[in-house]
Amino acid sequence: MATKISAVSPHKIRKELPDKILVAYTTNKCNNDDDLAKVTEAIKAGVNVLIWSFISFEEIDVGKKANAEICRQGLQMKVNLDVSKYRLYREQLRRMGFQNVVHLVAFGGWNGPHLLSGYSSKELYDAFQTFNMQPKTNDDTFEGPLFDGIDWDLEGHDNVQSSTNEFTKECLDQMGGLSMLMKENGFIVSMAPPESYLDITSDKFSRRVNLTYPEPWHDEFQYHGWNVYAYVLAKWNTSIDLIFLQFYESFSHAAYQTSQLGQSRHAFLIEYCNTLVRNKESMYVKFEDDPSVELPNQSIPFPLSKLVFGFANGWALNDDIGEKTIFFPATSIRKAYRELATAGKEPRGVGFWVVEEEGSHGVHYAKELKSILDDDGSVIEEI
């Protein structure tokens, strides 16, 4: 478990991560009570870390902004939420007894923006916290920050030539610096790299994410990375609490190993953790492949206590997906998790994208994954 930081801000409103973590992402905008019902059901089923998607920085002319009090350094936050209704929803959850659920907000997303150039991590932090700590209104009973921390989900873009298919060193440094400031002030920081952006089977490094995998399979897919997120872990490892690893990246190693080489899904998950353990819960990265980052080749810590298996729920079974995205049945996850837990090699948690697809194709991951984390050891069938 990550070391606690003693330096916190005067606001005594921080949260602890639970020992076993069940993560779910949501794209809900809090503008429709019926849509929020799915989020509530996921929390009732056991989700204890909810990540709201997405948020970004945008530049403004403070002199022309009516709500200048929520701006800082010419920056404001652009979030896909009705913030006033979000606050009401958070208060509703508190009254229902779910006040300990951790709420994070994610930066990025596929085709999403990277961080704005020309701003220091401190300027970004101040802008975010001015938004995050905004005072309540007269009819608002919600106490505390809007979010208990942040999640890094910066990715690439459909247009192979897009500038966001290469992470600038400045952007990576901003990510790391902002993570450090968040952590120092008692907030939680997670990252959600697609499998190739933090690939324990490869020591390659590149800031580009319009690359291909070495497998002789769908080499026309030019949206993989070579360990770009490893840079942040190499320099700011103690500032990152969770690593939600997206096994559902398109044409991933996970998909190749299972669909083309015949490896079972539970065996893939077991081998993933075994590989980390054999490497002393670390991964070796050749940062010198990119001299601009000015890092030596090195092993970086990747402890199981930070690892969250990231899965796609029912949407991965849609007809138009085909073999592009791997789906892990709950029975496969249960079998792997039980064996890993018995050997003391289990990840910190499990999670999925996305709440809005719960129930699709009969898949109810929130309930199923909670049952796996609480597994009593009963007999299950071979997968």
Side-chain angles (χ1 to χ4, degrees):
M1 192 176 297
T3 303
K4 294 179 183 177
I5 303 296
S6 58
V8 296
S9 76
H11 305 281
K12 297 179 180 180
I13 42 180
R14 309 298 178 242
K15 285 186 180 174
E16 296 288 340
L17 284 168
D19 291 336
K20 291 185 177 182
I21 289 173
L22 175 47
V23 174
Y25 283 81
T26 178
T27 57
N28 197 287
K29 294 178 172 57
C30 286
N31 55 8
N32 184 294
D33 290 342
D34 291 336
D35 290 343
L36 273 171
K38 272 197 172 182
V39 179
T40 305
E41 287 304 310
I43 291 172
K44 287 181 177 179
V47 167
N48 53 25
V49 177
L50 186 66
I51 304 181
W52 299 81
S53 307
F54 291 100
I55 195 170
S56 61
F57 295 98
E58 63 179 7
E59 293 180 297
I60 58 162
D61 182 343
V62 176
K64 296 181 180 179
K65 179 66 179 177
N67 294 321
E69 69 275 7
I70 64 170
C71 308
R72 186 70 61 88
Q73 301 293 345
L75 294 173
Q76 69 176 359
M77 307 312 301
K78 180 180 180 181
V79 63
N80 294 334
L81 283 174
D82 182 322
V83 174
S84 62
K85 291 183 179 179
Y86 168 82
R87 295 177 71 99
L88 292 174
Y89 180 63
R90 288 290 305 275
E91 176 61 16
Q92 176 187 336
L93 289 176
R94 185 192 67 79
R95 293 178 180 179
M96 294 171 64
F98 296 113
Q99 66 273 10
N100 291 327
V101 173
V102 173
H103 294 262
L104 308 180
V105 65
F107 285 89
W110 187 252
N111 288 339
H114 287 194
L115 301 182
L116 291 173
S117 178
Y119 293 91
S120 69
S121 297
K122 180 61 164 60
E123 288 172 326
L124 298 180
Y125 173 81
D126 287 345
F128 176 79
Q129 290 296 43
T130 299
F131 164 79
N132 198 40
M133 306 299 295
Q134 58 187 277
K136 64 182 183 179
T137 59
N138 292 335
D139 59 348
D140 184 2
T141 57
F142 172 66
E143 298 281 355
L146 295 177
F147 301 102
D148 304 306
I150 60 174
D151 173 66
W152 294 118
D153 195 13
L154 273 62
E155 300 180 10
H157 196 281
D158 285 334
N159 181 354
V160 176
Q161 303 303 319
S162 171
S163 62
T164 53
N165 279 324
E166 180 172 359
F167 283 69
T168 65
K169 182 176 181 297
E170 179 189 26
C171 178
L172 293 170
D173 286 333
Q174 289 170 322
M175 290 170 64
L178 181 50
S179 298
M180 181 180 68
L181 290 168
M182 293 292 292
K183 187 65 177 170
E184 285 177 346
N185 285 279
F187 290 90
I188 294 165
V189 183
S190 70
M191 60 167 54
E195 181 197 71
S196 65
Y197 292 23
L198 194 66
D199 183 0
I200 65 171
T201 71
S202 173
D203 59 10
K204 293 182 177 181
F205 178 78
S206 175
R207 290 180 292 106
R208 293 170 55 200
V209 291
N210 53 3
L211 306 169
T212 59
Y213 262 169
E215 289 95 346
W217 188 57
H218 289 287
D219 56 6
E220 79 283 358
F221 183 79
Q222 300 178 35
Y223 298 102
H224 288 307
W226 289 351
N227 288 318
V228 64
Y229 271 59
Y231 177 89
V232 176
L233 287 176
K235 298 186 70 173
W236 294 277
N237 199 288
T238 59
S239 297
I240 305 299
D241 295 295
L242 300 176
I243 301 170
F244 177 99
L245 205 290
Q246 295 184 34
F247 290 127
Y248 53 88
E249 179 183 13
S250 297
F251 304 113
S252 64
H253 292 316
Y256 176 73
Q257 293 286 339
T258 55
S259 71
Q260 303 302 304
L261 301 187
Q263 186 178 35
S264 67
R265 283 160 169 75
H266 73 265
F268 174 87
L269 295 174
I270 292 168
E271 180 57 26
Y272 188 92
C273 288
N274 283 340
T275 298
L276 276 177
V277 171
R278 284 195 299 270
N279 293 328
K280 300 180 179 179
E281 295 185 50
S282 68
M283 57 182 291
Y284 186 76
V285 181
K286 292 181 178 178
F287 291 106
E288 292 173 24
D289 288 348
D290 182 354
S292 72
V293 300
E294 300 178 313
L295 280 181
N297 298 340
Q298 60 186 281
S299 291
I300 60 172
F302 189 172
L304 291 171
S305 61
K306 295 185 180 185
L307 174 63
V308 175
F309 285 164
F311 302 114
N313 57 354
W315 63 269
L317 297 174
N318 291 347
D319 291 340
D320 61 341
I321 297 295
E323 62 185 8
K324 180 178 180 180
T325 301
I326 185 172
F327 174 74
F328 285 83
T331 47
S332 296
I333 302 169
R334 183 183 300 276
K335 183 175 175 62
Y337 188 87
R338 178 180 297 169
E339 182 169 329
L340 290 167
T342 300
K345 301 176 184 178
E346 76 275 18
R348 179 70 177 275
V350 292
F352 63 94
W353 175 279
V354 55
V355 167
E356 284 63 40
E357 290 288 342
E358 281 289 85
S360 178
H361 298 281
V363 177
H364 297 272
Y365 254 174
K367 179 180 178 181
E368 293 166 338
L369 296 182
K370 179 62 164 61
S371 173
I372 289 167
L373 292 177
D374 294 341
D375 191 1
D376 62 1
S378 57
V379 176
I380 57 173
E381 296 180 0
E382 290 285 332
I383 301 300

